[in-house]
Amino acid sequence: MRDDAPMIDNPVLPGFRPDPSIVRVGDDHYLATSTFQWFPGVGLHHSKDLVHWRPLGGALTERRLLDLRGVQDSGGVWAPSLTHHDGRFWLVYSIVRHSGTAYKDVDNYLTTAEDIGGPWSDPVFLNSSGFDASLFHDDDGRHWLVNVEWDHRPGRPRFGGIVLQEYDAAARAMTGPVTTIARRERLIEGPNLYRRDGWYYLMLAEGGTGWDHGISMARSRTITGPYAFDPADAVLTSRHDPGLPLQKAGHGELVTTADGQWYLAHLASRPERGPDGQPRCITGRETCLQPVTWTDDGWLRLADGTATPSTRVPAPSGTAPHPWPAEPPRDDFDGATLSPEWSTPRVPADETWASLTARPGFLRLYGRQSQHSLFDQSLVARRVTHRRVTATTCLEFAPRRYAQSAGLIAWYDASTYYYLRVTHDEDMGRVIGLVTNDAGTYDEPADTVLPCGDWPRILLRARIDGPELRLDAAPEPDAWRRIGPVLDATRLSDDYGTGSRFTGAFIGLCAQDLSGTRTPADFDWFDWHTAA
């Protein structure tokens, strides 16, 4: 390989962007990823060369397509499936409305669009038997849905197997029998079907989404089975080597380039050791690419002959580099809409609570419900993508009661966050202070409170340096003051706390008004700097 040959650096989509679904249309590659409780639903990215990617925002931008009010943290949109057939994009997605008990309440939907930017059609309900649904378009014109079947019965494996049923596109409905096509002692999910050389191939995620994660394959001469599993332990996994920089590797999809080169898109995570020595993945589950090939006897393998993910792999040969313009480090909130890097929990950003026009050049957040609400939070946030991140903002805010707050938040979910907030104290007036929620233990440390009534503008800063998080405030750029101690950034991860947690760390801007008067907080700009 030439020293100047183009290379893919993994992760290609850093930060919380899991469960990649990849498709090529002509010379364009598109990646869809899970978004869980965050809007817009189903993150979309675009590349010409598999090396450089740009965000397109999300597919599900409207309440008619996605209603997440009341959905629990780590519920919502799971494992989308993006395909292209008959001149249209087909997007299948699951909405998990409840999980964590014997039951999992989930609905699967299909929407289509002629252009990746939409408009997307009104969703078609498919089924509710499980999650990780994906659509396969066979050569004979028939369409088939596969998904995990969830089994709530005592004494039964919860992951009850992979089921297959035909989808009638003309009738916009499922049709025919439901057939179980795969079961295994090891947990399997994330099914995707492919057809090659007379075989139907079933790609599966296995072992759960944690440290035991991996990808396996099975194949059959007929779509309904029986399917024989690959004799290899895994096509891809990190489970046997905790020293690999990419851990939790699994849940993938295949794509071919225009000249027939095969690549596997998959998720993986980059662990950071916390103060207690435990590995935790602040940037969540991220999207990576690996070149793959087929053996003489028809099984999929990584092109380097291993089954472990690499951080740097060859890009497609013969493809011209196609970088995109770099995002400016400062968002001055001068646009008509928020940048596609921003996300909001459960509801889309709109002028009723996140306005770019009420005060031009500012993002005005009207205070609404608490940061624990499952309905109407005023929070806009962006994913933590690197080991080192510095986020700074300038706030103008005049609270009159303790129920009114606004500021900068380092966020995993409602159970775990660090909040540098401005509020009102009856004795001191306007103050800055730290609010923490540590796996559900809420606190407002009194020794972090700093009066700031005479500050005309308030600068707030969050600095992540590996496992450490520091929060600072200042009335002007050269007068920073530390607020609170050095904090454990690794707690902002799937691997901390209890229960099933599937997202990743964010840093965001938020406002609350628990009195219901919707006191506005004006953010003049937001700076974002990262380093490896």
Side-chain angles (χ1 to χ4, degrees):
M1 182 185 303
R2 302 193 329 268
D3 291 340
D4 62 347
M7 301 291 286
I8 294 171
D9 290 313
N10 283 317
V12 293
L13 301 184
F16 154 57
R17 294 179 174 94
D19 309 323
S21 179
I22 189 168
V23 65
R24 178 181 59 83
V25 182
D27 293 328
D28 297 288
H29 296 85
Y30 299 100
L31 263 169
T33 58
S34 295
T35 45
F36 292 84
Q37 72 268 26
W38 292 92
F39 254 91
V42 183
L44 296 175
H45 289 75
H46 173 219
S47 177
K48 290 281 191 178
D49 56 8
L50 294 184
V51 177
H52 304 93
W53 293 83
R54 62 169 178 162
L56 300 178
L60 311 179
T61 59
E62 305 171 57
R63 292 279 291 275
R64 71 177 176 87
L65 295 168
L66 184 66
D67 187 356
L68 297 179
R69 295 180 81 246
V71 164
Q72 67 193 71
D73 286 331
S74 288
V77 176
W78 287 20
S81 167
L82 181 66
T83 56
H84 191 266
H85 180 74
D86 280 348
R88 288 186 295 164
F89 291 94
W90 304 57
L91 178 64
V92 173
Y93 57 100
S94 303
I95 302 180
V96 177
R97 309 202 183 267
H98 162 265
S99 65
T101 66
Y103 294 95
K104 195 178 295 289
D105 294 304
V106 53
D107 298 319
N108 293 308
Y109 296 94
L110 167 68
T111 180
T112 63
E114 293 183 3
D115 185 87
I116 193 69
W120 293 88
S121 65
D122 288 342
V124 175
F125 171 76
L126 300 175
N127 67 28
S128 297
S129 59
F131 52 94
D132 287 5
S134 70
L135 199 61
F136 170 68
H137 311 282
D138 208 345
D139 296 341
D140 60 3
R142 299 171 77 181
H143 312 276
W144 298 88
L145 189 79
V146 285
N147 61 268
V148 177
E149 184 172 51
W150 186 257
D151 193 336
H152 66 272
R153 295 172 293 178
R156 304 271 186 149
R158 292 286 182 259
F159 290 74
I162 306 302
V163 294
L164 171 84
Q165 189 180 17
E166 187 173 358
Y167 173 70
D168 184 334
R172 293 165 55 89
M174 305 303 297
T175 186
V178 176
T179 304
T180 300
I181 60 172
R183 285 196 182 99
R184 206 172 194 185
E185 184 175 342
R186 178 179 279 161
L187 181 158
I188 54 175
E189 55 186 332
N192 288 284
L193 280 167
Y194 307 91
R195 191 169 186 179
R196 179 182 181 272
D197 291 347
W199 291 99
Y200 289 94
Y201 285 90
L202 179 64
M203 176 171 279
L204 297 163
E206 61 177 19
T209 59
W211 308 105
D212 198 40
H213 205 24
I215 291 175
S216 62
M217 296 283 280
R219 69 184 182 186
S220 171
R221 290 294 187 184
T222 61
I223 195 166
T224 55
Y227 283 80
F229 280 92
D230 186 344
D233 176 62
V235 174
L236 174 76
T237 188
S238 310
R239 69 172 70 101
H240 305 301
D241 187 351
L244 291 170
L246 297 175
Q247 290 292 316
K248 304 183 181 179
H251 196 117
E253 279 197 18
L254 294 171
V255 69
T256 57
T257 62
D259 60 357
Q261 299 172 73
W262 288 80
Y263 279 81
L264 170 66
H266 67 93
L267 68 79
S269 294
R270 295 173 289 166
E272 185 78 54
R273 295 281 173 179
D276 57 3
Q278 294 299 310
R280 301 190 185 111
C281 305
I282 304 171
T283 51
R285 297 176 301 145
E286 308 170 290
T287 288
C288 302
L289 289 168
Q290 309 291 332
V292 290
T293 188
W294 295 89
T295 64
D296 291 341
D297 57 352
W299 290 108
L300 187 73
R301 299 289 181 262
L302 298 188
D304 65 4
T306 74
T308 55
S310 297
T311 56
R312 191 168 170 80
V313 299
S317 59
T319 301
H322 196 288
W324 304 101
E327 179 194 16
R330 172 166 289 195
D331 190 337
D332 280 310
F333 301 121
D334 290 331
T337 59
L338 286 172
S339 156
E341 295 289 357
W342 291 102
S343 295
T344 58
R346 296 179 182 82
V347 296
D350 64 45
E351 285 288 318
T352 66
W353 67 270
S355 177
L356 292 167
T357 61
R359 187 180 178 188
F362 288 75
L363 172 63
R364 171 166 288 182
L365 297 182
Y366 293 96
R368 296 192 299 171
Q369 295 176 353
S370 80
Q371 59 270 29
H372 295 194
S373 173
L374 302 183
F375 292 87
D376 294 314
Q377 290 190 56
S378 293
L379 166 63
V380 299
R382 57 180 298 167
R383 292 158 172 80
V384 173
T385 53
H386 292 73
R387 289 191 73 248
R388 294 178 179 86
V389 174
T390 299
T392 312
T393 193
C394 179
L395 170 64
E396 296 183 14
F397 180 51
R400 292 292 180 261
R401 294 185 56 79
Y402 70 90
Q404 299 159 350
S405 301
L408 186 67
I409 196 163
W411 176 269
Y412 178 81
D413 64 14
S415 75
T416 307
Y417 59 81
Y418 303 109
Y419 182 16
L420 182 59
R421 62 95 181 262
V422 178
T423 189
H424 177 84
D425 179 86
E426 288 91 335
D427 298 320
M428 293 182 282
R430 190 174 65 174
V431 296
I432 298 169
L434 175 64
V435 175
T436 66
N437 204 23
D438 184 356
T441 300
Y442 181 87
D443 194 18
E444 301 179 12
D447 59 357
T448 69
V449 176
L450 173 68
C452 61
D454 59 346
W455 296 12
R457 312 182 94 202
I458 301 171
L459 303 181
L460 303 173
R461 182 172 69 186
R463 294 176 292 159
I464 293 178
D465 186 1
E468 298 180 343
L469 169 65
R470 292 171 174 82
L471 299 174
D472 310 292
E476 53 192 33
D478 296 325
W480 290 104
R481 307 183 195 183
R482 175 75 53 78
I483 306 296
V486 176
L487 301 165
D488 181 3
T490 71
R491 298 185 183 188
L492 305 173
S493 77
D494 295 349
D495 313 296
Y496 183 74
T498 60
S500 297
R501 294 154 62 94
F502 300 125
T503 55
F506 286 73
I507 295 178
L509 311 173
C510 61
Q512 299 82 34
D513 189 339
L514 307 185
S515 65
T517 57
R518 295 171 60 86
T519 300
D522 290 339
F523 295 88
D524 189 4
W525 46 261
F526 181 86
D527 275 353
W528 183 260
H529 296 274
T530 62

